[in-house]
Amino acid sequence: MPPSGKLDRSLIDTHIHVLTPSYVKALDENGGGPSGWATPSWTLEECVRFTDTVGASFSVLSITAPGPGLLGPTEAGRKLARTLNEEVWEVCCQRKGRFGYFASLPDFNDVEGTLEEIRHIFETEKNANGVVVMTSYGDRLLGDEKFKPIWKALDNYKALVFVHPGQLKIVPEKIGGFIPQPVLDFPLATTRAAVSLIVSGIITMCSNVDIVLSHAGGTLPFVGQRAITCLAEPSLGSQSQVSIDQTKHAVSRFYYDLALSTSAPQLKALLAFTTRSEVISHMRRHRASTPPFCSTPSSPGAKKGRV
């Protein structure tokens, strides 16, 4: 429990992972997590203990990368998405009122399968707080033209979308031969996905969708201005689906969690990049902690998080 011995009824953890039996089995059968990070153990008791420690009264569980995309755009990937959502909901039901969840979706390259699961989530089950999506699927970023039907469907349901970074296809995969991608490359993956959503016009098109970027938006607060101003170059701006003014508005649409992103430079950059009052006014009410992959809770904070 927190020092006071009481849970803060207004404190919500929006970035906390769960490992269900089917997901662990899928990872084991496919050589482990592709990011290079070892798969940790997970129990409900340990998760509850952790949320008690940070004082969160409500936590939104999610399956981490690569999620059902581990199996690619296949029928097996569709079935895994459905199974994971059922298993995570069962976890939530064991501690009613303490946990919600972001439902998982199949590999976006399976457009029809993803649309089917979205309908199931929002029309049949109706128990998820939103959906978790990865920054890329195969060789396509989230803002890819092929994925627009998926975003239109999410917009129709006014979905809350939690964007979590996934593996980048880069060489060498590990820095120094041992540092896995989640340490440094995941923030870059988030940045690439965010910019792709902006210049593709998806953010502008989907006005009903709320998007939460992991880890303070990756490096977006540091380099986002470069992405905006580059559109002033005619050869680049002519290829964008949005104008500079639309881009500026699109950037303001993002929400941010602060999982593993609470150093002074990171917070100052985020506060300078976003509207300061919005970040500060919500900093005491939301938390992002990322267990079980990181056992040390990060400082409280999120930009206008919603569940």
Side-chain angles (χ1 to χ4, degrees):
M1 297 288 284
S4 65
K6 297 181 180 180
L7 297 177
D8 185 339
R9 294 301 170 187
S10 64
L11 186 60
I12 300 170
D13 191 331
T14 57
H15 192 149
I16 180 168
H17 295 309
V18 55
L19 288 163
T20 69
S22 293
Y23 193 45
V24 173
K25 181 174 183 291
L27 289 172
D28 290 344
E29 292 177 347
N30 289 273
S35 70
W37 199 278
T39 303
S41 61
W42 188 93
T43 67
L44 178 57
E45 291 72 21
E46 290 177 352
C47 187
V48 171
R49 188 178 305 114
F50 183 92
T51 58
D52 284 346
T53 299
V54 299
S57 62
F58 189 80
S59 300
V60 188
L61 302 173
S62 61
I63 296 291
T64 191
L70 173 71
L71 302 183
T74 63
E75 181 64 28
R78 295 186 183 189
K79 291 180 179 178
L80 181 59
R82 181 68 57 83
T83 299
L84 295 181
N85 290 335
E86 292 172 350
E87 290 180 337
V88 178
W89 176 239
E90 288 176 1
V91 171
C92 296
C93 290
Q94 292 180 56
R95 290 292 191 279
K96 291 183 178 180
R98 285 295 299 274
F99 294 108
Y101 77 108
F102 290 121
S104 295
L105 296 173
D107 187 313
F108 271 26
N109 286 294
D110 177 11
V111 176
E112 288 305 315
T114 302
L115 292 175
E116 180 182 338
E117 190 62 25
I118 289 173
R119 287 191 292 270
H120 183 77
I121 291 166
F122 291 103
E123 293 184 13
T124 303
E125 294 299 332
K126 300 180 180 180
N127 52 29
N129 295 95
V131 297
V132 54
V133 304
M134 302 305 149
T135 48
S136 62
Y137 294 92
D139 295 329
R140 294 183 170 93
L141 292 168
L142 278 181
D144 193 273
E145 180 72 21
K146 181 176 181 177
F147 300 156
K148 283 190 175 181
I150 296 173
W151 285 103
K152 288 180 180 179
L154 292 170
D155 188 64
N156 287 338
Y157 291 110
K158 299 181 179 180
L160 173 61
V161 180
F162 173 46
V163 177
H164 194 281
Q167 185 182 22
L168 292 174
K169 292 185 178 180
I170 53 178
V171 178
E173 287 192 3
K174 295 182 178 181
I175 298 174
F178 67 94
I179 297 178
Q181 288 201 13
V183 176
L184 293 175
D185 297 315
F186 270 22
L188 299 177
T190 298
T191 305
R192 289 167 58 85
V195 174
S196 78
L197 288 171
I198 294 170
V199 299
S200 67
I202 285 177
I203 294 291
T204 302
M205 175 184 72
C206 300
S207 60
N208 295 316
V209 171
D210 284 334
I211 299 177
V212 180
L213 299 179
S214 297
H215 313 124
T219 61
L220 189 64
F222 297 90
V223 301
Q225 189 63 25
R226 291 165 63 102
I228 295 173
T229 57
C230 82
L231 299 184
E233 170 58 43
S235 64
L236 297 178
S238 62
Q239 299 180 68
S240 173
Q241 298 298 310
V242 291
S243 66
I244 289 183
D245 288 340
Q246 289 175 312
T247 297
K248 292 178 180 178
H249 177 70
V251 169
S252 71
R253 292 271 315 282
F254 289 124
Y255 296 71
Y256 302 85
D257 78 35
L258 296 187
L260 305 179
S261 306
T262 56
S263 69
Q266 288 172 306
L267 292 176
K268 288 180 179 179
L270 181 60
L271 290 169
F273 186 69
T274 61
T275 303
R276 179 178 294 268
S277 62
E278 291 180 343
V279 178
I280 294 176
S281 64
H282 291 80
M283 191 163 287
R284 293 183 179 178
R285 297 195 286 114
H286 299 265
R287 182 181 295 271
S289 52
T290 72
F293 293 86
C294 179
S295 59
T296 302
S298 56
S299 298
K303 178 181 179 288
K304 299 199 299 182
R306 173 172 71 84
V307 294

